[in-house]
Amino acid sequence: MTEPSPRPAGRLKIILGYAAGVGKTFKMLEEGQQLQKDGHDVVVGYFEPHGRQDTIAKLEGLELVPRRTIEYRDRAFEEMDTPAILARHPEICLVDEFPHTNVPGAERSKRWEDVMVLLEAGIEVHTTMNIQHLESLNDQMREITGIQVRETIPDWVVKQAAELVLVDLPPTALLNRLQRGVVYAPDKAQRAIRNFFKEPALAALRELAMRQAAHEVDIRQSEIELPFHPARQAMNGSHETQREKILIHITEAPTTAALIRRGRRVADYLQADCFAVCILPVADLSQLAAPARLALEQHLEFARKLRVETRVLEGEDPADALVEFARRNGVTQIFLSKPAKRLVGLVSLRDFVMKVVRLASDMQVTVVAERASRTN
């Protein structure tokens, strides 16, 4: 008797916006209604109404899987009931607020991790998120809005989406909706206008969302076209000779997290391989003092979370070791932090950067400064 073939993974569709109130949830439910009319088995796995009556009305006629209650610190919290959705096993599940952090006590810490479980079970998922929750844009979000976004989604998760749809609304129209009380209650709306919902910030976020959507379309189009256009490959050179490889230098400096995000994002745009490398006198983190060791471990783990390949290398001269690794692995671009302090007590970062630039004359070396927040 042959074993049953594994169930194909479900399809992921992301409905993207640039701020609360642009209409992501409304569109998700509207499409769900149409899919149900077309004969598909659709359920709502999670829905956050925010008191928006026009959006709540779109729930009518759709099956809603009840939330589960989790007790935490003597309080009851409601979360998406992933086991119940798996048991129901619909064809399509609508899940609001993709970046949400689950309350402690849930099986998984993030809602996107719950969505991955649904996809693995063969359930198609349609979900919503705003551009500011994309991990690689975290530093730009802080610069644009003055707010540090804590709930983020790794870029590789978004790239799992078979389809990404942008819901657009001009900032003036969004602000008008906010002032009319359509997005939030009046007191909360006024606070939002004074803080996050400023027209210049909204315009910048809108532009980022449009660029991201266009980039995702380009990636999907290239994946379809490249295998069928040998003439274009001959004109541009072989895929191997054209492939970029990016190297990110890891230190204990706090700015390293921003450097990793920048390098990862550039790698995604170029569809390049990406490495993160830490150079130490002895390739053993346990030999370092606790503050430096903990910082390096945190940065290396963050890089791995973004699916960047990491290395801890031994080298008496960090610049020599870094460039040697880069050349041995065919790296085309090196990302370094802007000099600010001493590197593990060995050599000033300024001297280190200048030496890397000199040794890697055949590569592009990008020195990344820390972004400043814009609060106006």
Side-chain angles (χ1 to χ4, degrees):
M1 182 177 178
T2 59
E3 293 185 6
S5 58
R7 191 194 304 269
R11 181 176 180 273
L12 175 63
K13 178 175 182 177
I14 296 176
I15 300 172
L16 179 71
Y18 68 87
V22 298
K24 302 179 300 298
T25 305
F26 185 93
K27 182 173 181 60
M28 179 182 72
L29 294 174
E30 187 175 53
E31 290 184 351
Q33 295 273 10
Q34 186 58 52
L35 287 165
Q36 185 169 263
K37 287 179 184 177
D38 293 342
H40 296 280
D41 180 20
V42 181
V43 304
V44 178
Y46 189 89
F47 165 61
E48 192 60 66
H50 293 294
R52 297 166 194 164
Q53 296 305 314
D54 58 341
T55 305
I56 293 171
K58 284 294 176 183
L59 192 65
E60 186 176 352
L62 291 172
E63 179 184 342
L64 178 64
V65 177
R67 302 179 186 182
R68 63 186 295 200
T69 301
I70 299 176
E71 298 287 337
Y72 178 65
R73 293 184 176 176
D74 299 322
R75 291 181 59 191
F77 295 87
E78 292 185 335
E79 297 287 3
M80 183 171 77
D81 194 341
T82 303
I85 298 170
L86 291 171
R88 168 64 175 76
H89 209 281
E91 180 188 351
I92 300 170
C93 183
L94 311 182
V95 178
D96 211 3
E97 299 193 350
F98 197 32
H100 171 77
T101 299
N102 295 330
V103 70
E107 292 90 343
R108 287 160 287 276
S109 62
K110 299 288 185 178
R111 183 165 294 154
W112 66 259
E113 295 173 325
D114 288 319
V115 166
M116 290 297 161
V117 171
L118 299 180
L119 295 172
E120 289 169 6
I123 299 171
E124 180 171 327
V125 177
H126 296 193
T127 189
T128 63
M129 67 175 286
N130 283 325
I131 190 65
Q132 60 262 34
H133 296 285
L134 192 62
E135 178 62 58
S136 67
L137 292 176
N138 195 258
D139 302 296
Q140 285 175 261
M141 292 303 112
R142 184 165 56 88
E143 180 187 17
I144 292 168
T145 66
I147 297 169
Q148 184 76 51
V149 177
R150 302 296 179 187
E151 291 184 321
T152 59
I153 296 181
D155 291 49
W156 67 264
V157 175
V158 175
K159 292 187 183 305
Q160 304 299 305
E163 186 178 358
L164 187 144
V165 175
L166 177 65
V167 177
D168 188 36
L169 187 69
T172 52
L174 177 57
L175 289 170
N176 181 265
R177 295 192 74 207
L178 195 66
Q179 290 166 342
R180 289 188 290 112
V182 175
V183 180
Y184 296 128
D187 58 335
K188 187 176 180 181
Q190 289 306 312
R191 287 198 303 273
I193 291 171
R194 289 193 301 270
N195 296 293
F196 185 86
F197 283 76
K198 295 178 181 178
E199 191 165 353
L202 293 176
L205 291 173
R206 184 190 187 203
E207 182 180 350
L208 279 174
M210 288 178 169
R211 287 181 180 177
Q212 184 67 31
H215 172 59
E216 296 297 333
V217 170
D218 286 345
I219 287 178
R220 284 156 180 75
Q221 192 66 26
S222 67
E223 288 172 349
I224 294 170
E225 291 180 351
L226 281 176
F228 302 102
H229 287 271
R232 190 195 316 186
Q233 286 196 20
M235 180 178 66
N236 293 336
S238 70
H239 182 68
E240 283 300 315
T241 57
Q242 292 292 313
R243 191 170 185 83
E244 294 274 344
K245 291 188 178 181
I246 288 176
L247 175 61
I248 304 166
H249 179 230
I250 301 289
T251 72
E252 76 272 24
T255 54
T256 298
L259 186 71
I260 294 168
R261 290 190 191 98
R262 179 76 66 87
R264 175 72 267 182
R265 185 156 184 82
V266 172
D268 286 341
Y269 268 96
L270 298 176
Q271 298 183 53
D273 294 332
C274 195
F275 304 93
V277 173
C278 171
I279 312 291
L280 299 174
V282 179
D284 182 359
L285 291 176
S286 65
Q287 300 295 314
L288 299 178
R293 174 174 52 78
L294 292 173
L296 287 171
E297 287 175 346
Q298 184 177 24
H299 292 321
L300 289 166
E301 179 58 31
F302 179 57
R304 288 189 284 267
K305 174 186 169 186
L306 299 188
R307 294 199 168 177
V308 176
E309 189 175 339
T310 61
R311 296 279 196 284
V312 179
L313 304 178
E314 182 177 342
E316 293 184 8
D317 187 310
D320 284 338
L322 188 74
V323 175
E324 180 186 350
F325 174 88
R327 190 159 284 117
R328 191 168 62 244
N329 287 276
V331 166
T332 56
Q333 296 190 41
I334 299 176
F335 280 72
L336 308 173
S337 288
K338 182 180 180 180
K341 64 176 186 177
R342 297 184 66 79
L343 172 65
V344 199
L346 294 176
V347 62
S348 73
L349 265 176
R350 187 174 301 276
D351 293 343
F352 166 78
V353 168
M354 294 306 296
K355 186 168 184 180
V356 169
V357 170
R358 188 177 73 253
L359 292 173
S361 58
D362 55 335
M363 306 173 204
Q364 178 178 320
V365 179
T366 302
V367 182
V368 178
E370 184 177 11
R371 291 181 180 271
S373 298
R374 278 201 317 229
T375 55
N376 57 335

